[in-house]
Amino acid sequence: MPRAVTLIRSASLSDVAEYAYAATAPAEARLIFLAGACPLEDDGSTAAVGDYAGQAAKVVENLRTALADAGASLQDVISTRVLVASTRQEDLVTAWEVVRAAFGDHDVPSTLMGVTVLGYNNQLVEVEAVAAVLDA
């Protein structure tokens, strides 16, 4: 099935970033705006309390589920925003590495942010995403 997302790399910007600097989708693409994926278990409890990598993994799992329910996959994501409740750069990097690994070669434009607090008890990581698909 053809993909709607085209990643754009810039030869004018640093190649240090582990993501494309921009992405596009054609006018006929259906956009999917996802709420922030949270590290919640089916019973509503927070997974992997105190563990940035563990919560990032649960967030990716829940993101995959939300995408599938909308008829998409990680390969259809056009951008992400990764929120990490910490002032320590190493905590942000820990969460980022898990999220980045899940996307593999599909290195979508992303923003990584340290925030003061997230919405659920003991929540450390959240990922917001936008996807684009071409419906058959």
Side-chain angles (χ1 to χ4, degrees):
M1 175 168 54
R3 297 282 180 195
V5 177
T6 300
L7 300 179
I8 301 166
R9 294 175 181 15
S10 174
S12 303
L13 297 170
S14 170
D15 63 358
V16 162
E18 296 181 338
Y19 46 80
Y21 279 100
T24 63
E28 65 271 17
R30 176 171 55 94
L31 296 179
I32 303 166
F33 298 88
L34 293 112
C38 299
L40 299 179
E41 300 288 2
D42 291 344
D43 66 2
S45 64
T46 302
V49 172
D51 179 359
Y52 288 94
Q55 285 201 8
K58 183 62 177 175
V59 163
V60 169
E61 177 185 326
N62 289 344
L63 180 61
R64 286 181 197 269
T65 299
L67 284 163
D69 289 346
S73 72
L74 288 181
Q75 296 302 308
D76 298 308
V77 171
I78 196 166
S79 69
T80 67
R81 181 175 298 126
V82 180
L83 308 173
V84 182
S86 179
T87 58
R88 295 170 15 115
Q89 186 179 27
E90 54 267 30
D91 296 335
L92 276 69
V93 170
T94 295
W96 168 253
E97 288 175 344
V98 172
V99 173
R100 175 67 189 87
F103 279 86
D105 290 340
H106 188 65
D107 54 347
V108 299
S110 297
T111 299
L112 175 62
M113 301 172 62
V115 298
T116 304
V117 66
L118 291 166
Y120 292 99
N121 288 334
N122 301 307
Q123 182 182 0
L124 300 172
V125 181
E126 186 164 330
V127 176
E128 180 182 327
V130 177
V133 295
L134 297 171
D135 291 321

